């Protein structure tokens, strides 16, 4: 099953979408916070606007350099312990929302990443228990201003500016989905620029949840970005960037400089 957040012009609402279906079964309320109960309304996928499937109440926690080939292209190695950072919930946008390049950067990159959506308030989760706190998976683009990332010391601005966290197009809820065997692909203007597989993550999802939850209480709707494979590169005004994760979906956004 997939969970979408959508709008038909009114307030955002949630719906469930069976695999291989385009029929949205609208839900009462937010399925992260209450039992999924149909509202009685049915929509077709192409007649609604999809929104970011989740706006985290508290945080997006992201992991840097979790693939050897990406660490190498950034001129380093995978750190001895995971290097983690935050993206604020104000950086989150949905499918087809514009990535707006800030005036203070001239070097913005895409980074396709598997995103984990947390379902349960939790702390000090052992890796063996991680599955019990996962709601599902979505696609993220960890949009990064490389010049600010190099120059600022902290990454808050470089990786936390408004529109720097596209998420979507939905949350895939499937306890049988193995998050460690999924192709990760990015295209810019239709050309494949990034191609990897989550099997090459240095630290897998359970290990990351154990490490992160040892530091922070995680809340329902918090999101963990698991790092990007090699092939990162620049996006500029007018580009269309699409990040695809096998068995989950494709997250597309256009890029504008205002
Ligand atoms: Mn990243």
């Amino acid at each position: 099953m997939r969970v979408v957040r959508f709008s038909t012009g009114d307030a955002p609402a949630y719906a469930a979408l069976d695999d291989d279906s385009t029929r949205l079964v609208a839900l009462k309320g937010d399925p992260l916070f209450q039992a999924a109960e149909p509202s009685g309304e049915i929509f077709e996928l192409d007649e609604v606007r999809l929104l970011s499937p989740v706006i985290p109440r508290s945080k997006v926690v992201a992991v840097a350099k979790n693939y050897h080939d990406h660490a190498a292209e950034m001129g380093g190695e995978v750190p001895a312990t995971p290097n983690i950072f935050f993206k604020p919930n104000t950086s989150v946008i949905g499918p087809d929302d514009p990535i707006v390049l800030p005036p203070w950067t001239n070097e913005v990159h895409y980074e396709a990443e598997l995103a984990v959506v947390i379902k349960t308030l939790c702390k000090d989760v052992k890796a063996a228990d991680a599955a019990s706190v996962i709601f599902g998976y979505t696609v993220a683009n960890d949009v990064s201003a490389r010049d600010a990332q190099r120059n600022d010391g902290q990454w808050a601005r470089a990786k936390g500016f408004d529109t720097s966290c596209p998420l979507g197009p939905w949350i895939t809820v499937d306890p049988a989905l193995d998050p460690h065997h999924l192709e990760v692909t990015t295209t810019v203007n239709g050309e494949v620029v990034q191609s990897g597989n989550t099997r090459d993550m240095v630290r897998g999802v359970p290990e990351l949840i154990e490490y992160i939850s040892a530091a922070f209480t995680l809340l329902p709707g918090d999101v963990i970005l698991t790092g990007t494979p090699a092939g990162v590169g620049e996006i500029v005004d007018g580009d269309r960037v699409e990040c695809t994760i096998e068995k989950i979906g494709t997250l597309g956004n256009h890029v504008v400089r205002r």
Side-chain angles (χ1 to χ4, degrees):
M1 185 189 74
R2 294 166 286 167
V3 169
V4 300
R5 187 166 156 268
F6 72 99
S7 167
T8 56
D10 301 324
Y14 295 84
L17 181 62
D18 282 338
D19 298 336
D20 305 318
S21 171
T22 59
R23 185 170 170 268
L24 301 187
V25 176
L27 301 174
K28 292 180 181 173
D30 183 339
L32 271 164
F33 292 90
Q34 58 194 84
E37 185 184 349
S39 72
E41 290 187 289
I42 302 288
F43 298 94
E44 275 296 312
L45 193 53
D46 63 6
E47 66 184 9
V48 304
R49 176 177 166 231
L50 293 186
L51 308 173
S52 167
V54 59
I55 300 287
R57 262 52 168 190
S58 71
K59 56 197 170 295
V60 175
V61 186
V63 182
K65 296 181 180 174
N66 196 31
Y67 290 75
H68 288 292
D69 57 357
H70 172 63
E73 75 179 347
M74 297 298 285
E77 295 179 359
V78 171
T81 55
N83 182 356
I84 59 179
F85 57 96
F86 290 128
K87 293 171 83 79
N89 55 10
T90 45
S91 67
V92 173
I93 59 173
D96 297 312
D97 286 337
I99 296 168
V100 181
L101 304 176
W104 42 261
T105 173
N106 289 305
E107 190 185 354
V108 175
H109 282 200
Y110 56 81
E111 291 187 0
E113 307 198 7
L114 174 69
V116 183
V117 181
I118 298 295
K119 78 173 172 189
T120 312
L121 185 150
C122 58
K123 169 75 175 159
D124 296 328
V125 180
K126 292 301 173 199
D129 301 325
S132 69
V133 305
I134 296 172
F135 182 72
Y137 299 93
T138 189
V139 183
N141 188 346
D142 176 21
V143 178
S144 303
R146 291 281 183 243
D147 43 5
Q149 188 179 355
R150 283 191 300 270
N151 297 332
D152 281 3
Q154 297 284 328
W155 292 356
R157 187 171 71 140
K159 284 176 171 281
F161 64 85
D162 290 353
T163 75
S164 67
C165 193
L167 294 177
W170 41 63
I171 301 169
T172 295
V173 179
D174 177 3
L177 179 73
D178 179 356
H180 305 118
H181 290 89
L182 302 172
E183 296 281 340
V184 180
T185 309
T186 303
T187 66
V188 176
N189 305 325
E191 180 184 344
V192 175
V193 290
Q194 190 171 32
S195 181
N197 193 295
T198 57
R199 79 166 79 88
D200 296 321
M201 282 198 280
V202 176
R203 294 168 179 107
V205 170
E207 191 180 347
L208 293 175
I209 288 175
E210 177 170 322
Y211 186 84
I212 290 166
S213 71
F216 313 114
T217 297
L218 295 172
L219 300 184
D222 281 353
V223 174
I224 295 173
L225 307 193
T226 57
T228 196
V232 299
E234 195 167 12
I235 41 177
V236 299
D237 182 36
D239 282 347
R240 169 90 183 167
V241 58
E242 296 191 344
C243 301
T244 299
I245 297 186
E246 183 186 6
K247 297 182 182 172
I248 299 177
T250 296
L251 168 67
N253 301 89
H254 55 282
V255 182
V256 300
R257 185 179 287 283
R258 292 190 172 131

